[in-house]
């Protein structure tokens, strides 16, 4: 392959950063291939205003099934709908009206595809037959968005068919910077240890970062890390676990925490019921650690990836 269409990068600033306001902007091409391959600094949160599906797209320049599945999970965790097991199927329940002003264009299309006419409840098996066109629309909107954000000068698909001969559509310097930031966040999720995460932050970080972990293919690892955070706190200070659940029940519902106030102590006894109303893991998983550690396997086996493989 001939490396034409190399990505651009900012010159004179650290990789992943943008020039400061008023700083002269110099742009060159990356070296060593068509895209950045150097070291990346760890980022402890995703790039600002970069949603999970966009993060997956800017990483590799392709909107794939995993990106769209992560968008769906993200929308549910943000309170747009619930997804619960019903026999061999899944029931989706819309929680509020679909308001375009509160959503990205691709998210509007996905929700409208799942809930045509804003019906309140639908089975996933039913949605499969109507989602083809909305999913293609989601894909198109995500490609438009990476151009609108200035990460590509034109639709990155345009160079794909002729890639071997005429090269690829390169990222702009801004696109390279955002890609490096996203890779830095991916590195954090890949390497984070339970000792680095405060128990008080665990519920919020789990729900916010789970869709990104799905995009990066490491949902199982991220779930296991958060499980260890909570398990350690249970052992060290079970009263603190109960107090945190009581002080912020909405956040801890995202962890599926159910508090047993009976008996001598207060204990989180069953994480297996729900994660934010999204994933009904069933009563078979009885402990807080087991539920989190099984969540990644559950997600990997979930047929959303088949659903979005168009």
């Amino acid at each position: 392959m001939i490396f034409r269409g190399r990505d651009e990068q900012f010159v004179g600033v650290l990789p992943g950063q943008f020039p400061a306001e008023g700083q002269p902007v110099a742009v060159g091409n990356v070296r060593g291939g068509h895209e950045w391959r150097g070291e990346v600094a760890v980022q402890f949160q995703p790039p600002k205003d970069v949603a999970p599906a966009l993060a997956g797209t800017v990483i590799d320049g392709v909107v794939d099934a995993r990106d769209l599945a992560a968008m769906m999970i993200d929308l549910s965790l943000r309170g747009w709908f619930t997804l619960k097991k019903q026999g061999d199927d899944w029931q989706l329940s819309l929680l509020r009206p679909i308001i375009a002003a509160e959503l990205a264009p691709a998210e509007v299309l996905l929700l409208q595809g799942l809930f045509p006419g804003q019906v309140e409840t639908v089975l996933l098996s039913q949605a499969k037959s109507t989602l083809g066109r909305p999913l293609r629309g989601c894909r198109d909107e995500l490609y438009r968005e990476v151009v609108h954000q200035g990460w590509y000068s034109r639709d990155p698909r345009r160079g794909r068919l002729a890639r071997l001969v005429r090269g690829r559509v390169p990222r702009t310097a801004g696109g390279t910077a955002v890609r490096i930031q996203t890779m830095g966040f991916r590195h954090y999720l890949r390497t984070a240890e339970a000792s680095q995460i405060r128990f008080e932050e665990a519920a919020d970080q789990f729900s916010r970062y789970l869709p990104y972990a799905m995009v990066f293919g490491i949902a199982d690892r991220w779930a296991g890390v958060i499980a260890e955070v909570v398990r350690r706190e249970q052992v060290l200070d079970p009263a603190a676990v109960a107090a945190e659940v009581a002080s912020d029940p909405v956040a801890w519902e995202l962890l599926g925490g159910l508090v047993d106030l009976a008996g001598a102590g207060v204990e989180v006894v069953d994480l297996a019921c729900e994660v934010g109303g999204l994933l009904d893991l069933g009563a078979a998983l009885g402990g807080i650690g087991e539920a989190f550690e099984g969540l990644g396997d559950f997600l990997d086996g979930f047929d959303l990836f088949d659903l979005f493989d168009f």
Side-chain angles (χ1 to χ4, degrees):
M1 179 182 293
I2 300 174
F3 286 115
R4 297 178 182 175
R6 288 185 297 163
D7 288 354
E8 296 177 337
Q9 66 177 19
F10 293 117
V11 177
V13 299
L14 293 175
Q17 294 190 2
F18 286 78
E21 185 175 355
Q23 179 181 354
V25 178
V27 173
N29 291 115
V30 300
R31 298 180 179 179
H34 56 70
E35 59 188 4
W36 176 263
R37 296 183 179 180
E39 295 293 326
V40 298
V42 175
Q43 301 281 332
F44 296 100
Q45 56 188 6
K48 185 178 179 181
D49 298 326
V50 178
L54 283 176
T57 304
V58 77
I59 282 278
D60 58 14
V62 177
V63 178
D64 56 27
R66 193 177 297 272
D67 300 331
L68 295 174
M71 181 191 296
M72 181 175 178
I73 299 302
D74 184 49
L75 285 167
S76 186
L77 287 170
R78 284 158 48 196
W80 288 94
F81 67 93
T82 61
L83 177 61
K84 293 184 179 182
K85 187 72 172 176
Q86 189 175 76
D88 295 331
D89 209 337
W90 293 86
Q91 178 178 290
L92 292 76
S93 299
L94 188 66
L95 296 178
R96 48 181 164 149
I98 301 170
I99 302 174
E102 299 178 8
L103 295 156
E107 294 173 336
V108 173
L109 290 175
L110 179 55
L111 286 175
Q112 289 176 341
L114 291 171
F115 302 98
Q118 300 206 35
V119 297
E120 294 185 357
T121 302
V122 66
L123 294 176
L124 188 59
S125 59
Q126 299 170 335
K128 287 182 180 181
S129 64
T130 61
L131 268 175
R133 180 175 296 178
L135 288 178
R136 286 190 290 272
C138 288
R139 178 186 56 188
D140 293 343
E141 286 294 345
L142 287 169
Y143 283 123
R144 290 190 189 100
E145 183 63 18
V146 297
V147 176
H148 176 73
Q149 292 288 345
W151 302 340
Y152 287 88
S153 60
R154 62 186 188 277
D155 190 323
R157 290 175 294 184
R158 294 184 180 179
R160 194 172 306 150
L161 295 178
R163 182 175 294 177
L164 292 176
V165 179
R166 295 163 51 192
R168 56 191 285 279
V169 176
R171 294 177 184 85
T172 64
T176 294
V178 173
R179 178 174 178 267
I180 292 172
Q181 292 175 19
T182 304
M183 292 167 65
F185 180 57
R186 180 179 64 181
H187 182 66
Y188 166 65
L189 293 183
R190 282 178 171 175
T191 61
E193 300 295 338
S195 59
Q196 298 173 318
I197 301 172
R198 295 174 61 239
F199 168 70
E200 295 79 6
E201 300 171 345
D204 180 59
Q205 286 199 16
F206 174 74
S207 60
R208 285 194 297 124
Y209 295 168
L210 175 62
Y212 293 95
M214 291 177 62
V215 164
F216 302 144
I218 51 176
D220 53 348
R221 185 189 190 281
W222 180 238
V225 169
I226 298 297
E228 182 61 24
V229 173
V230 182
R231 183 164 47 231
R232 286 186 179 189
E233 193 71 16
Q234 276 192 293
V235 172
L236 295 175
D237 194 352
V241 174
E244 189 67 24
V245 172
S247 66
D248 193 355
V250 175
W252 285 97
E253 185 184 358
L254 294 176
L255 295 183
L258 300 179
V259 182
D260 181 10
L261 298 177
V266 181
E267 183 180 8
V268 177
V269 295
D270 188 2
L271 186 60
C273 285
E274 294 182 14
V275 179
L278 169 65
L279 304 175
D280 184 355
L281 300 181
L285 297 176
I288 196 161
E290 290 83 353
F292 270 117
E293 289 161 0
L295 178 57
D297 293 336
F298 172 82
L299 290 172
D300 287 341
F302 190 40
D303 61 2
L304 277 176
F305 299 112
D306 294 331
L307 173 64
F308 290 145
D309 191 10
F310 47 86

